[in-house]
Amino acid sequence: MRQTLFGLLCLCLCGHASAETLPLPESLIALNSDNGQALLIEAEARTDYFDLAIHFTNQVHPAFCGPASIAMVLNALDVPRPASDMTLGLGMFDQENVFTPATEAVKPRARIERAGLTLDELGGMFEAHSVAASVHHAADSSLEEFRRTAIDSIGDAESFVLVNYLRSSLGQERGGHISPLGAYDAETDRFLILDVTRYKYPPVWVDAAALFDAMNTPDSDNDDRSRGYLLVAR
């Protein structure tokens, strides 16, 4: 019964994504595969998965991986929610109301639509919503520090970790991307990326070292500083 319930959670999050999305490289494991579901059941850290899964959203614009991830995490943090036109006026962060005068001061929406968000801008957007955001550039960190910090965050009920990585480094199509992490499996040393472009790729399990290498890539939109990860907490 327990495995069946986990399977339902996986399938609700992924739908039939594996049949409709781009092909995955062999190094990545789709969450809605038998192996992917088993990894979630046995994961050492998965507390964040459930709060993120019930607030999962697909990005609605090619450059909105950042805003979609922000909406998911703010809802998961249970930050006081503004009324949303998408929920008949009930409180919920979405990819419209995450933009405020305070976030416009960080980076105007019009510029995000053209170029997306860098890691530092992502942190600034969260801070504009009055939550704590700690930016970690991969070049200033290490695999061991990232693994330890991310596991602790995923396993607690107070913070979330988002990753900014280069898709092509993982064999995907193809530029920089942002999404939250939902779980970690110690036996395989893999993190679960809850990819906000579910129409392109399903949530995937990725080797920790490969993910760190994909984060440790220069971002030309951020003065060639490396990508990395962000810790967010109320």
Side-chain angles (χ1 to χ4, degrees):
M1 175 62 73
R2 184 165 176 257
Q3 185 165 1
T4 301
L5 291 174
F6 268 95
L8 288 173
L9 280 169
C10 293
L11 292 175
C12 286
L13 182 59
C14 297
H16 299 288
S18 60
E20 301 169 358
T21 54
L22 296 174
L24 280 179
E26 292 184 1
S27 60
L28 302 179
I29 301 172
L31 174 61
N32 60 331
S33 66
D34 290 343
N35 194 7
Q37 293 178 50
L39 288 175
L40 183 59
I41 292 170
E42 301 299 331
E44 177 185 66
R46 59 175 182 236
T47 300
D48 285 356
Y49 172 82
F50 299 97
D51 284 333
L52 289 169
I54 63 173
H55 295 297
F56 185 87
T57 186
N58 286 302
Q59 66 185 75
V60 297
H61 184 282
F64 272 19
C65 57
S69 297
I70 292 169
M72 282 177 61
V73 171
L74 289 177
N75 286 324
L77 282 170
D78 206 21
V79 173
R81 301 168 185 170
S84 169
D85 291 339
M86 298 177 67
T87 56
L88 302 177
L90 298 175
M92 185 67 68
F93 282 101
D94 58 44
Q95 293 169 68
E96 291 292 329
N97 63 24
V98 293
F99 295 104
T100 68
T103 66
E104 287 292 296
V106 176
K107 188 172 188 177
R109 174 177 175 155
R111 289 181 55 204
I112 296 173
E113 290 177 348
R114 294 195 299 271
L117 289 167
T118 68
L119 180 64
D120 293 281
E121 291 165 347
L122 181 69
M125 293 283 283
F126 274 108
E127 290 176 344
H129 284 282
S130 300
V131 297
S134 177
V135 173
H136 300 262
H137 290 274
D140 301 325
S141 181
S142 67
L143 171 59
E144 292 73 21
E145 180 183 355
F146 163 64
R147 183 190 291 111
R148 180 178 65 253
T149 303
I151 291 170
D152 287 346
S153 176
I154 292 168
D156 69 29
E158 301 172 352
S159 65
F160 294 87
V161 57
L162 301 93
V163 288
N164 174 213
Y165 60 99
L166 185 64
R167 278 196 186 278
S168 59
S169 182
L170 298 179
Q172 295 183 326
E173 300 274 341
R174 73 185 160 261
H177 192 52
I178 294 167
S179 286
L181 295 181
Y184 172 78
D185 177 68
E187 183 175 349
T188 60
D189 194 25
R190 286 178 178 267
F191 285 100
L192 174 63
I193 302 176
L194 296 180
D195 196 330
V196 294
T197 52
R198 192 175 68 174
Y199 51 84
K200 190 173 183 179
Y201 291 107
V204 294
W205 290 95
V206 57
D207 177 78
L211 176 56
F212 186 81
D213 287 344
M215 294 189 295
N216 197 16
T217 51
D219 185 352
S220 60
D221 291 327
N222 200 17
D223 297 324
D224 283 333
R225 296 199 70 186
S226 68
R227 298 174 173 89
Y229 57 102
L230 183 73
L231 295 180
V232 181
R234 288 194 66 175

